[in-house]
């Protein structure tokens, strides 16, 4: 039981030592996003952001088209010939 009571203390010590070793990268990233280079915010992150943006747009457009296809198919009655 005594061992279980010391777990939160050990966890907080481990977390506080790792926090001191990490460098704050937020100001560097803010400089990238705040510079005026004519790019939209969702593309300023680099090639990874561009790739994710295009993938998201492709999936969205394909899903919308697929939904319209099934909606059109559902609203046309089947002939019983």
């Amino acid at each position: 039981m005594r061992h279980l009571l010391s777990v939160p203390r050990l966890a907080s010590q481990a977390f506080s030592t790792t926090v001191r070793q990490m460098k704050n990268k937020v100001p560097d990233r803010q400089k990238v996003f705040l510079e005026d280079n004519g790019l939209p915010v969702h593309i300023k992150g680099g090639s990874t952001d561009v790739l994710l943006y295009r993938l998201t747009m492709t999936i969205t457009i394909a899903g919308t088209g697929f939904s319209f296809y099934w909606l059109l198919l559902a609203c046309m009655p089947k002939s019983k010939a």
Side-chain angles (χ1 to χ4, degrees), residues 23-43:
K23 181 182 181 267
N24 188 6
K25 298 177 185 177
V26 173
D28 299 331
R29 298 299 292 170
Q30 280 179 339
K31 287 178 188 175
V32 170
F33 284 100
L34 290 176
E35 73 182 30
D36 188 22
N37 56 2
L39 292 174
V41 174
H42 58 273
I43 296 179

Side-chain angles (χ1 to χ4, degrees), residues 21 37 45 57 67 70 73:
Q21 295 172 355
N37 56 2
M57 286 298 112
S67 297
W70 282 106
L73 195 69

Side-chain angles (χ1 to χ4, degrees), residues 5-72:
L5 293 175
S6 66
V7 170
R9 184 175 48 88
L10 292 173
S12 67
Q13 286 176 351
F15 182 72
S16 64
T17 57
T18 58
V19 170
R20 287 185 214 142
Q21 295 172 355
M22 292 186 332
K23 181 182 181 267
N24 188 6
K25 298 177 185 177
V26 173
D28 299 331
R29 298 299 292 170
Q30 280 179 339
K31 287 178 188 175
V32 170
F33 284 100
L34 290 176
E35 73 182 30
D36 188 22
N37 56 2
L39 292 174
V41 174
H42 58 273
I43 296 179
K44 283 188 178 184
S47 60
T48 305
D49 281 353
V50 172
L51 182 68
L52 286 173
Y53 174 73
R54 289 183 181 167
L55 178 68
T56 303
M57 286 298 112
T58 303
I59 291 171
T60 302
I61 292 169
T64 303
F66 195 64
S67 297
F68 280 133
Y69 168 75
W70 282 106
L71 186 62
L72 181 67

